[in-house]
Amino acid sequence: MTTTVRVPEERSARVPAEQRGPGRDRDSVRLLVSCGTEVSHHAFVELPRRLRAGDLLIVNTSPTLASAVDGWIGHTRVVVHFSTRGDDGRWAVELRDPDGRGTTRARAGGPAGTEVRLAGDVRLVLEEPLTPYGSRLWWGRVSEPDVLGLLRRHGRPIRYSYTQRDQPLSVYQTVFALPSADGGGSAEMPSAARPFTARLVAELVSRGVQFAPITLHTGVASAEAHEPPYPERYEVPEASARLINAARAGEGRILAVGTTAVRAVESAVDAGGVVRARKGWTDLVVTPERGVRVVDGLLTGLHEPGASHLLMLEAIAGRAAIERSYGEALSGLYLWHEFGDVHLILPEGPHTESCSSNCR
């Protein structure tokens, strides 16, 4: 998407929807619906009326971890964002500087051998950059083997400067979040699912909409324009693979809830277009050139113009459609980021209703 589009600072959602006034809940956000270049404006609680029986929503069950921990390098305070646990026991981490307002600002990573003191006399030693083309995230080794326990005792949710205040971890859990067998989770909330409530899920089920759970543990968000997502751990269970394949064989639309759900399921499709039960690491970056093989549409938040996630949106809907919908979001004063409004991208083509009936 063109980088000439600028999102004004006041369009950042600073607090969750349920804290913006009496009688509000998580689903008290707005819903931008696009089908091709046709766009319409709704409340999120209208989502069941925008979908139909036979549609399948792919949802991420990864819970959010309290991934931000205070530390010290010598006498200098830093904040460590624990991103991803590696197979060898190391963690991908990002070091940040406190900004004096309860949030943080970017800090150069490294060098190798840097030691960070954490609570409880725990030591983190940086070893090498996560990738050869960037120095923001580093692989580090922690002296405490139970890092997840360290996060539970001393961590807090990752918070960025556009938010107004600290929030409890429960604010960052979606209705689909489930405990992982190994206690793992996401450094940052799979936020596209945040507006769902139990009430709304029940209404969708009553209307014949199905859900296929997958898991993708997200790392920290990309801080630099056009920075690709890092490898992440995922799992597509056998039952979900069967649901997706059955819906594709019929006339159901496959709609991912969040870019994480797209990344997981598109990593589990074979050369013949069949989704298989798979788990492991994915380094897939969905671009217009690669395209999508499984999903027909997407429910997602609003992304910064330079974010790599927009390439995925363009792969699903086309650049013209995304530029049109983002123009509507800006002129319509929609809110950005994890507590903000959401965008439903519906497919064009055979086996769908007309875009006009979908968008209205």
Side-chain angles (χ1 to χ4, degrees):
M1 181 176 173
T2 176
T3 55
T4 58
V5 174
R6 188 182 68 85
V7 180
E9 186 177 348
E10 61 270 20
R11 299 270 53 83
S12 296
R14 303 194 182 282
V15 296
E18 62 272 24
Q19 297 178 15
R20 293 179 202 149
R24 290 176 175 263
D25 204 340
R26 287 179 173 226
D27 54 15
S28 301
V29 297
R30 299 172 68 192
L31 176 67
L32 182 75
V33 179
S34 64
C35 181
T37 56
E38 293 187 29
V39 179
S40 60
H41 305 272
H42 307 271
F44 185 75
V45 292
E46 297 177 55
L47 177 67
R49 296 195 289 280
R50 307 273 67 80
L51 305 181
R52 64 189 189 209
D55 284 345
L56 180 69
L57 295 179
I58 304 172
V59 296
N60 189 357
T61 63
S62 178
T64 308
L65 301 176
S67 294
V69 178
D70 290 328
W72 293 264
I73 299 175
H75 296 291
T76 302
R77 187 186 162 212
V78 297
V79 176
V80 181
H81 287 177
F82 283 83
S83 180
T84 305
R85 180 173 56 184
D87 292 333
D88 59 1
R90 297 188 299 174
W91 278 78
V93 298
E94 179 189 20
L95 268 56
R96 308 272 297 186
D97 285 323
D99 63 4
R101 300 189 298 273
T103 53
T104 60
R105 55 178 176 266
R107 174 191 176 96
T114 297
E115 182 178 275
V116 185
R117 290 182 290 114
L118 305 174
D121 201 31
V122 175
R123 298 292 193 272
L124 164 69
V125 178
L126 302 185
E127 294 189 349
E128 60 181 336
L130 185 63
T131 65
Y133 51 82
S135 60
R136 187 169 64 91
L137 268 70
W138 279 64
W139 284 116
R141 199 169 294 277
V142 186
S143 62
E144 165 60 64
D146 184 15
V147 175
L148 293 171
L150 174 74
L151 299 184
R152 287 192 295 272
R153 293 189 302 272
H154 302 291
R156 59 186 179 276
I158 289 174
R159 177 189 159 203
Y160 289 110
S161 59
Y162 50 78
T163 57
Q164 189 175 89
R165 55 181 174 266
D166 285 342
Q167 299 285 348
L169 185 59
S170 59
V171 166
Y172 292 89
Q173 306 294 2
T174 75
V175 72
F176 303 111
L178 295 171
S180 297
D182 63 357
S186 291
E188 298 186 17
M189 172 178 54
S191 55
R194 190 183 189 280
F196 284 86
T197 61
R199 178 183 62 249
L200 190 69
V201 171
E203 183 179 353
L204 287 163
V205 171
S206 73
R207 289 173 174 262
V209 175
Q210 294 181 294
F211 292 84
I214 58 87
T215 302
L216 186 139
H217 295 321
T218 69
V220 298
S222 294
E224 301 171 14
H226 307 299
E227 185 178 14
Y230 295 100
E232 294 168 319
R233 196 187 300 273
Y234 81 104
E235 179 177 5
V236 176
E238 176 67 35
S240 293
R242 291 188 181 196
L243 276 171
I244 295 166
N245 291 327
R248 294 181 73 206
E251 295 189 358
R253 299 176 295 186
I254 311 299
L255 306 173
V257 178
T259 59
T260 61
V262 177
R263 196 180 199 200
V265 75
E266 292 288 334
S267 298
V269 63
D270 66 18
V274 177
V275 176
R276 304 291 184 183
R278 285 184 183 166
K279 63 180 179 179
W281 290 89
T282 178
D283 59 0
L284 176 66
V285 179
V286 178
T287 65
E289 292 73 28
R290 189 266 186 192
V292 288
R293 301 171 188 168
V294 181
V295 301
D296 300 308
L298 173 64
L299 179 73
T300 183
L302 294 165
H303 304 282
E304 292 289 346
S308 61
H309 293 310
L310 283 172
L311 294 175
M312 179 186 291
L313 272 59
E314 291 178 12
I316 295 170
R319 183 167 185 169
I322 299 305
E323 288 186 338
R324 171 66 190 278
S325 58
Y326 269 62
E328 288 278 334
L330 284 167
S331 63
L333 303 182
Y334 279 68
L335 295 177
W336 260 250
H337 300 303
E338 66 267 30
F339 299 141
D341 299 315
V342 286
H343 178 197
L344 176 62
I345 300 171
L346 292 173
E348 297 180 283
H351 308 303
T352 67
E353 301 169 9
S354 71
C355 282
S356 295
S357 61
N358 268 324
C359 281
R360 295 192 179 122

